[in-house]
Amino acid sequence: MNASDSTNRTSPRSWKSYALGAAACAALLAATACGPGAGDPEPSDRPSSTASPKPTTATPAAPTATTPAKPGTTAPATPTAGPGGAGGTSGGDGTTVACAKGDLSLAATTEDDKGRPVRHLLLTLTNVGSRKCTVYNYPYVQMGADAQAPVAVIEDSDPKALATLAPGEKAYAALLVSGGHRDTYEAGYVSLGLQGPRPGSHVGESIRAELPGIDTLTVDDGGRVTYWMTASGLALRFIMSS
């Protein structure tokens, strides 16, 4: 046997060692390829492929601004007319009206002795209507067509109380026709206007009084009249000494 033959031959022991080595190498490669690498995270460390949904934050609704209701505006009641339909207005107590021409009758009586000049008159209003009414303040008295202005009022005669008349009741004002002044003239009638609750106001038409048994009155600018009151004697006290 030559040297080449000894070289090419391999003993059974050598083949066995080679086979074992190859098997070990294959096993190592398989383990390296299939197993997790040294740098790979464990399954529990790996992030989930599905991201967890972020919790939603509900935006609170803006409060609705409520405009407060405006208080209703109530218009004041219109003054009611008196039964005569001549411009009566509501009384101060809300239940009566200012007396107007259609509510009343007017009489003028003299307080002077028979045969003497008529200088002192008592004006009497009677409520001939069906409900209460009030005569306010004092009458606007005009004596005849030539009068330049209403007769002046006697301020001290203010009774500080309203003359409210039920049907059939009366109110009185005393009239001094002349005060002994100059510039006299003749008056064929006496008329009066009525006031409402506001001083200086006018209610309805004027009322004319018949003269007490005479045709004319001799008057001057010294005439005076009282406030309305419910006692005739009290009214006359303010003029009878003149």
Side-chain angles (χ1 to χ4, degrees):
M1 179 179 299
N2 55 29
S4 61
D5 290 339
S6 61
T7 302
N8 293 332
R9 287 180 183 174
T10 304
S11 67
R13 186 176 179 180
S14 298
W15 280 107
K16 185 176 182 179
S17 297
Y18 175 80
L20 290 173
C25 182
L28 179 60
L29 291 174
T32 301
C34 297
D40 291 341
E42 293 297 326
S44 61
D45 296 333
R46 293 180 181 178
S48 171
S49 60
T50 304
S52 299
K54 294 182 179 180
T56 59
T57 303
T59 303
T64 303
T66 303
T67 303
K70 295 182 179 179
T73 303
T74 304
T78 302
T80 58
T89 56
S90 297
D93 59 3
T95 60
T96 62
V97 295
C99 295
K101 181 178 180 179
D103 305 309
L104 306 166
S105 67
L106 173 63
T109 56
T110 180
E111 298 299 318
D112 297 299
D113 294 336
K114 187 176 181 180
R116 294 182 64 85
V118 175
R119 296 182 60 243
H120 305 88
L121 291 179
L122 180 66
L123 304 175
T124 303
L125 286 178
T126 303
N127 182 354
V128 295
S130 59
R131 59 178 176 176
K132 286 183 178 181
C133 66
T134 299
V135 285
Y136 289 91
N137 303 312
Y138 54 88
Y140 299 122
V141 176
Q142 180 171 326
M143 294 187 288
D146 295 329
Q148 299 299 308
V151 174
V153 66
I154 302 172
E155 292 293 351
D156 291 342
S157 68
D158 187 353
K160 309 300 182 184
L162 294 177
T164 298
L165 309 178
E169 292 184 337
K170 302 177 186 297
Y172 306 93
L175 172 63
L176 179 64
V177 173
S178 62
H181 294 197
R182 297 180 180 179
D183 299 328
T184 61
Y185 63 95
E186 299 299 309
Y189 64 87
V190 172
S191 68
L192 60 88
L194 299 171
Q195 295 191 52
R198 183 173 55 82
S201 61
H202 291 75
V203 175
E205 300 175 0
S206 61
I207 309 172
R208 182 173 295 193
E210 296 293 333
L211 297 181
I214 56 177
D215 293 329
T216 61
L217 292 171
T218 301
V219 301
D220 60 31
D221 58 3
R224 296 291 184 270
V225 69
T226 68
Y227 279 76
W228 292 113
M229 51 194 78
T230 55
S232 61
L234 179 59
L236 288 170
R237 281 168 49 186
F238 288 95
I239 67 167
M240 293 308 295
S241 59
S242 300

